[in-house]
Structures are given as C-alpha cells and as structure tokens.
Amino acid sequence: MTPFLIADLWGELLAVLTTLFFALPYIAGYIAIILLTLLIWTGVKKVLRPVHDYTSLKTVTFGDESAVVSNSVASVVSVVLIFVFWAVFTGSSLLPSFLHAPGAFTGTGTFTYTVTTPDGRSDDAEVTVLVYPRDEEADAPDVDPGDGFAKNDSIAIAEYRSDLLRVDQNDEIGRDEDAVITAINGQEVAPGDTVRVDFGTVSLSGRGTPNISPSTGMQMEPIWLPSPEGVWSRLTEIATSGYRNSTLWEHLGYSLFRVIVGFTLGALVGIPLGYAMGLSDWFRGWFDPIVEFMRPVPPLALIPLVIIWAGIGEVGKIILLFLAALWIMAIGARSGVSGVKISKVHAAYSLGASKFQILRHVIIPNSLPEIFTAARVAMGVCWGTVVAAELVAAEKGAGMMIMVASKFQSTDIVIMGIILIGIIGFGIDMLMRAAERFLVPWKGKG
Amino acid sequence: MSNLVIDDVSMRFDLPGGGAVQALKNVSLTLKQGELMSVLGPSGCGKTTLLNILAGFLAPTEGKIKLGDKRVTGPSPERGMVFQQGALFEWMSVRDNVGFGPSMKGMAQKQKREIVDHLLDVVGLSQFKEKAVYELSGGMQQRVALARCLANEPEVILMDEPLGALDALTREKMQGLVLKLWKETGKTVILITHSVEEALLLGERLIVMAPRPGRIHREYNLPFADMGVGRDLREVKKHEDFGKRREEILSMIWEMEEEIMGGAEQ
Ligand SMILES: Nc1ncnc2c1ncn2[C@@H]1O[C@H](COP(=O)(O)OP(=O)(O)OP(=O)(O)O)[C@@H](O)[C@H]1O
Ligand SMILES: [Mg+2]
C-alpha cells in the first residue's frame, strides 16, 4: 500500500508544481504591473509635491510608521485593476470594446474543402458556418448547392462550441464511395490534421469528418466567469425578486442571524468559563483537557455530527456556531485573566482593594482587550462556519444560495454570493475593530 | 510611633527542579517612623524579595515583620508600593488611577476629588487629570504612581527602582520631588535603586546588601538627604564627603560583582 501511496502523492505533487510553473509568467507579469504602477506613482508624486525631506529619501523602511501603514493609492489601484482584468476578459460593457481581450467569433465564416474520389477525380465545395450567440437560436443558413459532385454545405454553431459536419452527406460521391477530403482551403490535409481558417480552425477527425471550431478568443465564457455587470444585474434581480423562494435579504439575514445568536451564546458561556479557568486551578484542571481537545477540531468537522444529532434546522446550525465561538472565547478570556501583570494585582492589593474589587477593577478590564481579539477571531470563524454549514444543508442562507446556484451552473449567482459573503465578513470585522477602538482604547498600551 | 521592624527574616525559594535559592538570610533592621532609607546591592541580592516581603506579597520562610505592634501578614494599604513601571491601570484616567485607593475604601466623591486634585497639583500633573495614563511620558507616569501611592495615606512607602527608567534630567527632578514629599509628609520611605548617587542623595540611611545568601553587608547614616531638601541636588553632589562616599560604595559593589562573576565562571 504505502509505496503506491507515496508514488501517488509524488505524482500529485508534480502536477501541482507543473501548474505552478505554467502560472509563473502570469505571476511575473502581475508583479511587473505592481512595480510599474509604483514607478508611475513615484513620478506623479514628484511632479505634484516635489519635497526632499527625510521621508521622501527613504526607499524601503523598516519598523517605523510607514512600514505598517499601507499606501491607500496602491489599494485603490489594486482593486480597480482587478475589475479591469475582470472586464477585459469578460468583454464587459464597463470598458470600451477596444480594451477587451479578443472575443469569441460570431457571425458567418466560410471555408472550402476538396474531395478526391478513388478514381482520381476531385471537386471543391464551400461550407458556410454561422456562429450565433449562445443565448439565441439559429438554423443553418440556406446555401446554393453549387455544381460538381461535391455540394456546398452550411451549419450553425453556438458561440464557444465546435461541431462535426458530415459534409459528404449531400455530395454525389461521399465517404461510402471512398471519397476522401484531401484539402481544406487548398491546404492538403489527412485525418488528424488541423487547418487554420479565418474564423477559427477546422480539423479532420480520424474518419475524415471536418470538425469545425470557431475561435473562442481569449474571453471567458459567462459560464466560467460572467461579466461584472452580469453579476450586478443578477444582484439587483435577486435583491428584488429573490432566489429559491426567499429574497436576498432573507438569505443573508438568516446567515447573520445564525452567526449573531451562535456567537452571542458562545460568548455568554465562553467568557465566564474562561474567567473560571483563569481564576481557579480546579476549573482549569477540569476544562483544560476538554478545551485543549476541542480547540484544534475545526467546527466544520462537527457538521456531520451536528446534522445527525440536531438535523439541518436552525438548532443544529446554532449549536455548531455556539461551539465554534465557545472555545475561542473561553481561551481568550482565560488568557486575558492569567495575562494580568502581577505588579498590577500587587498594586491594587497594597492600595487596599479586596479580592472582589480586584476582579472587578483590575482583572476584568485587563482581560477586555484579549476578549475583544478573541471575539474578532470568533466572529470570523463563525461567519466562515455558517457559510460552510449552509453549503452542506440549509433551506435559506448565503451558503445555500451559492451551493444551489452552482448546481444549476449559475456562475453569476455564485460569484455574487461570494462577493457578498466577503463584504459581510469584512464589514463584521470592521465593526468589531471600531467597537474595540471605542471600548478598549488601552489595548496594547499596558 | 510605628516603627518598621524586620526581625531575623530569611527567604528560601524552592526551585521546581529540586534545590533552593537562599534569597535572604537573617536580615534584621529597624526603621523609625519618618526615616528615609535607600537600599543598594548587586543584581540578585534579594532587594526586591525584601521589599515584597515588607509589602506582604511574599511570606518569609523565617522571621517576621512588624509595623508598630502589628505583625505583617499580607498586603495592606498602610504599606504603599511604587513599582518600577507598568503597574498603573491603563484602563483608567490619571484621576481614577490616583483615586483608586480612596475609591476602594468607599470614600465620598467630594473628599476623594479634593485629595486627588491636591496630589496631582503636588506632582505637577494638574493639566493631565482626564488623560489616559498611556498618553503620558514615562516620567509623568511615575509621578502618577507616586501620587496614587500617596493618595492612600500609607505609613510606609516602598519603592522598587521607581526612577530606573527615566532620563537623567527627569530623574533629578523626581529625586527632588521624593525628598520634598518625604519631608512634607513625614512618611517612612524605603527606596531600592541601582544608582549609588541616588542612594546617597535619597537615604538618611543607606544599606548595601550582599548576595548569596542575600544579607545586609553595610549600613551608613548619611547627611545628604537632609541637605538636599529644597536645594539644588547638584550642589549636594559637589560636596566633598559625597564624592568620597560614592567612591567607597562603588568599589565595594564592584568587588561584590567581581566575586559573583568569578563564582559564575567556576
Ligand atoms: N519567585 C522566585 N522563585 C525563585 N527564585 C526567586 C524568585 N524571586 C526571586 N528569586 C531569586 O532570589 C534572588 C533574589 O532576587 P531579587 O529579585 O530579590 O533580586 P534583586 O536584588 O531585586 O535583583 P535586581 O537588582 O536584579 O532587581 C535571585 O537569585 C532570584 O533568582
Ligand atoms: Mg529587583
């Protein structure tokens, strides 16, 4: 068993490395763009504000303010660039069309093929190919059969698709009489060969049938990556008319509701538990094995068990989020308590504080920054867990929405959902940070 | 009169891996009320341990401490402590830090306010009452710590290198302040320091401790603290005796440090 496993894993590793290798030029290109914009920005700054103070002379800074503060111009450029790339490769109407990557061919194209019979006669015929947009219907155009034993053909192919065409079916002497196609657009071909034509490529199959592949260009098919405005219009559509019997706000609201209830319960139990563990060695001894064991178990791994025990309803999800928040909050509160500087406790004692007063005025305020950090982490984990739980089983929720959409290949909904999930997660973190700044301004200042 | 009596105190720390450190051995000393004593000694000779025992944070393995006729068994507001740094409550404003002791006693708001305002005035921080302590400089924070200790009206003030982290100028100002407060309030003060000059300036009495086991090596009675009250401390330092004493004590500590180093090499 084991040698095979190792060989398998080695193969997988090679596959990953190969993919990475092919991605290298793109990564290099991206870095080049970053450096180029840096150069441009530096130039622009020189023109706008030609100062020569100490900061302007620094190139790379270590450990001072500018090493931790990020350049907001770079952030803006970076985000804009993501949308630009997205628009370029989806033919988005946000950009003028000359900036688009070459799109898939649509319209009518032609090529000629030459048929040769076993007795040496040959004849040409023309094939008319109509490539139509995917969301439309089209029939093969009518064409004049023409003269000779090979007759003209026509076919309609949807954008991004290719099709085999039995061009000999309407010919007077066809494949059944051992006539073969020997040239396309005057270029000699044998089965297996491919010929470039002006709208794409034509290749001969093993049995000599032309396979017509109109050019797919460099843009992404909407089924892989819809354009930004496609995602946006899907967003407005779902926001007004809903998806799967629920409005968008219901889906998001359910997810948020689960997170808030689960997190709140987790914090309500976890913080006192953490305090008890921080203050009493009996509680610490009692809960240490449980907490230390449960902490490394990812909440996602509990989903199957929770579904078995509590079903796929709200209770199960809230139990899951409760568990996700519980250990994080307990550990945060515990280390907040035990992290108090002994000199602060001593100072309070020698100022006449009682045990209870020390708990109230020293231990608890001292632990708040840690608890806030834990709450931020817990909120992030809960949000990730709720989405994942909804992916597995739910009737409403952001995760359920994108899971169902992916089953129907509604990539636009999937992307919309992912963006919304990201924005909400980011918003939660921002709110927690703002609350932290407001409520525990002394964090990190002790 | 509540004298502070250190009666044959020894302290052993049992180490987790077996063995023990004799941090203090048979230390005896009596401090009269209102005396100002500074403590010098090489690193690790048990100065902090002694102070922690006096504050009641540690129980000595042998011997006892008495303040007046009460035996010291734990921390109490009659023995205030000023730590080197980091013992202020950064979640409270300057005012609340200084008012912490009175608050714990449940003192009336108005009376507390008067005490706090007065003490912040004394340490020159009146304009910073409502600031958060982390917005203050190191020297200002030490002044808050001093005011917080004084607000509680302790009989004895214990200070463990309270000025160690300050720059020379701030330090000198603080030394003046300590002398002034000592004279004005008449409190018993014990001050640990690593600076020989500071120990000479701020000690009516000065003890030099020796390590392994920690014990009192020498004791001096000095005139400089009294001289320095209300005067420029630099004048005092120029005094002939001051220089002599400094050299004497410095070389004594040097010898001890060398012994320690030599011991470590074996
Ligand atoms: N909690 C403790 N457990 C074990 N050993 C301790 C403990 N506290 C102090 N010691 C030991 O007791 C001795 C005296 O320590 P102490 O902190 O009193 O020295 P110190 O004179 O204050 O030194 P410094 O000038 O460096 O502050 C040292 O050898 C130290 O290692
Ligand atoms: Mg010490």
Side-chain angles (χ1 to χ4, degrees), chain B residues 39-55:
Chain B
V39 182
L40 268 176
S43 190
C45 68
K47 304 183 293 292
T48 300
T49 306
L50 180 62
L51 213 66
N52 281 337
I53 290 173
L54 291 174

Side-chain angles (χ1 to χ4, degrees), chain B residues 43-44 46-49 84 160-161 192 194:
Chain B
S43 190
K47 304 183 293 292
T48 300
T49 306
Q84 179 165 12
D160 192 355
E161 296 176 45
I192 294 180
H194 271 135

